[in-house]
Amino acid sequence: MAQEPGHSAGLPRRRKPSINDVAKIAGVSYQTVSRVINNAPDVSAATRDRVLGVIKEVGYRRNRTATALVTSRSTVIGILTDGSPRFGPVGTLMALESLARQNGYASTVVTVEEPYEESVPKALNALDDVGVDGIIVIAPRLAMAAAVWNADFRVPVEMIAAGASSTPNVFTYSENQELGARMATQHLIDLGHTDIAHIAGSMEWFDGRVRKRGWEAAMRDAGLEPGLCVEGDWSPKFAYETGLRLVSEGRVPQAIFAVSDHTALGLIRAFAENGVRVPEDVSIVGFDDVEGSDYFLPPLTTVRQDFPALAQASIDVLLGAIEGREVDRTPSVPTLVVRASAIPARLRQTSPQAL
């Protein structure tokens, strides 16, 4: 009796064979299998014959449900997200879906929730069941990333996680948010401020960690000791309450690097309600350049993340892994957008409420 596809060579019954199965049986990397599938020239005849033999034996077939490209190749990209409503993860997800479609690829999105050690493996299996050729994981939280690192999967997996290092099984890509935080802090230093606080995000997030690290590094590089740092939950409410506390305790600093524009918004309202003026009494720089930040009062100086560029680079990196070719993985660079919420220290006019 003929064996079912996927049951030969020791593969479990009913499980669809993957490119990694082919690679393991043939004794080569999945990149080599991709080169064979794509008729790349840099594969020896013996290796090509061995891989093609395994492909035939196990019944491996690439997914062909996506729109064909001019190269006659087709790819379905899986996207794994935790469903966070925060600006960064949402902006990344929307850009990925849009850019995948514009490039002629289909995408399938699966959302996970805590406990990640249970939901992540199930989600990866679900994406494998629909025949994705590779997976991009939007992993803002450390706990989610840990679950991905510990999971089993059979296709290339790329994780968008700021500042995280690649592993043998999962490669990472991100925007250089630590550089963005350095740029924000350096702008305040260049304006002559020396007392620069950081209202931070959660340290359970990669973004929160690298932005804090960038603030600390910029301060120390300038010969300044990092001062007040308050870790929060990214919400305007937390920032507002923190601002009220700083005013009541008489601890309003010369300048603040806010971990996000929404954090800056909460601070600005708390200060405005108590007669502390931005930027005359305290300069503030945000991060994200959310829609409408140029209409804050005052218009907010901030760091802009280019989500379309991040998404395009992430897709290019994943396709490189799928097709077995090297791709530049240098993190994309954010942009400092200078508006009116930060002014030179010599122009600062300390109000009685800020003393």
Side-chain angles (χ1 to χ4, degrees):
M1 178 184 296
Q3 291 179 308
E4 296 178 13
H7 186 59
S8 57
L11 293 179
R13 184 179 296 274
R14 297 182 64 189
R15 205 258 289 160
K16 181 167 52 179
S18 71
I19 191 171
N20 277 12
D21 294 326
V22 174
K24 182 177 180 180
I25 296 168
V28 298
S29 66
Y30 72 76
Q31 290 96 334
T32 298
V33 178
S34 291
R35 292 188 186 100
V36 172
I37 293 171
N38 291 293
N39 295 316
D42 54 341
V43 181
S44 70
T47 298
R48 187 181 303 276
D49 289 344
R50 183 164 74 255
V51 171
L52 290 174
V54 173
I55 288 174
K56 181 177 180 181
E57 179 186 1
V58 303
Y60 170 73
R61 288 179 176 79
R62 291 192 66 186
N63 186 284
R64 296 295 172 185
T65 59
T67 304
L69 299 178
V70 293
T71 58
S72 299
R73 291 186 300 234
S74 60
T75 299
V76 178
I77 296 172
I79 303 174
L80 192 64
T81 175
D82 72 343
S84 169
R86 300 300 177 198
F87 181 74
V90 170
T92 303
L93 174 60
M94 293 177 63
L96 278 173
E97 288 187 294
S98 175
L99 266 296
R101 185 170 59 254
Q102 291 176 33
N103 282 277
Y105 302 110
S107 60
T108 299
V109 179
V110 175
T111 301
V112 296
E113 57 187 15
E114 296 184 281
Y116 295 123
E117 61 269 18
E118 296 178 7
S119 62
V120 165
K122 291 179 181 177
L124 290 170
N125 288 334
L127 288 171
D128 185 61
D129 287 343
V130 300
V132 300
D133 294 276
I135 298 171
I136 296 177
V137 181
I138 303 171
R141 294 180 172 89
L142 276 69
M144 181 180 174
V148 174
W149 282 320
N150 292 328
D152 294 321
F153 33 79
R154 294 176 287 274
V155 296
V157 173
E158 172 188 8
M159 186 157 60
I160 298 177
S165 300
S166 297
T167 69
N169 296 321
V170 180
F171 55 94
T172 60
Y173 187 78
S174 68
E175 187 169 66
N176 194 336
Q177 294 189 37
E178 182 173 344
L179 174 61
R182 278 176 169 268
M183 294 163 66
T185 308
Q186 188 61 49
H187 178 65
L188 292 168
I189 294 171
D190 291 343
L191 290 172
H193 297 289
T194 56
D195 176 21
I196 304 171
H198 179 41
I199 308 304
S202 168
M203 294 300 108
E204 295 301 314
W205 283 53
F206 288 104
D207 300 29
R209 291 190 171 205
V210 297
R211 295 180 194 184
K212 179 183 178 184
R213 192 159 66 224
W215 163 72
E216 291 174 332
M219 293 290 287
R220 291 198 170 103
D221 285 352
L224 302 172
E225 188 63 27
L228 175 68
C229 180
V230 182
E231 297 174 10
D233 63 1
W234 303 93
S235 71
K237 180 177 183 292
F238 172 83
Y240 173 74
E241 293 171 347
T242 299
L244 293 179
R245 188 168 67 253
L246 291 177
V247 172
S248 67
E249 296 173 357
R251 294 199 298 155
V252 177
Q254 291 179 351
I256 296 174
F257 164 46
V259 72
S260 70
D261 291 351
H262 287 136
T263 299
L265 181 63
L267 289 169
I268 290 171
R269 176 180 168 183
F271 292 156
E273 290 179 352
N274 289 273
V276 178
R277 299 163 300 172
V278 177
E280 292 87 352
D281 302 322
V282 54
S283 288
I284 296 179
V285 176
F287 199 112
D288 286 332
D289 194 27
V290 299
E291 182 179 3
S293 60
D294 50 339
Y295 286 94
F296 284 15
L297 189 62
L300 186 66
T301 294
T302 186
V303 176
R304 175 182 298 155
Q305 297 193 79
D306 189 341
F307 291 117
L310 171 65
Q312 184 62 67
S314 299
I315 290 172
D316 291 343
V317 167
L318 181 66
L319 294 177
I322 292 171
E323 297 167 4
R325 54 183 171 82
E326 289 297 321
V327 177
D328 182 13
R329 298 181 187 174
T330 303
S332 55
V333 178
T335 303
L336 179 70
V337 181
V338 177
R339 297 192 180 108
S341 62
I343 60 174
R346 67 179 182 275
L347 301 179
R348 183 173 183 263
Q349 304 170 20
T350 305
S351 66
Q353 292 87 344
L355 293 176

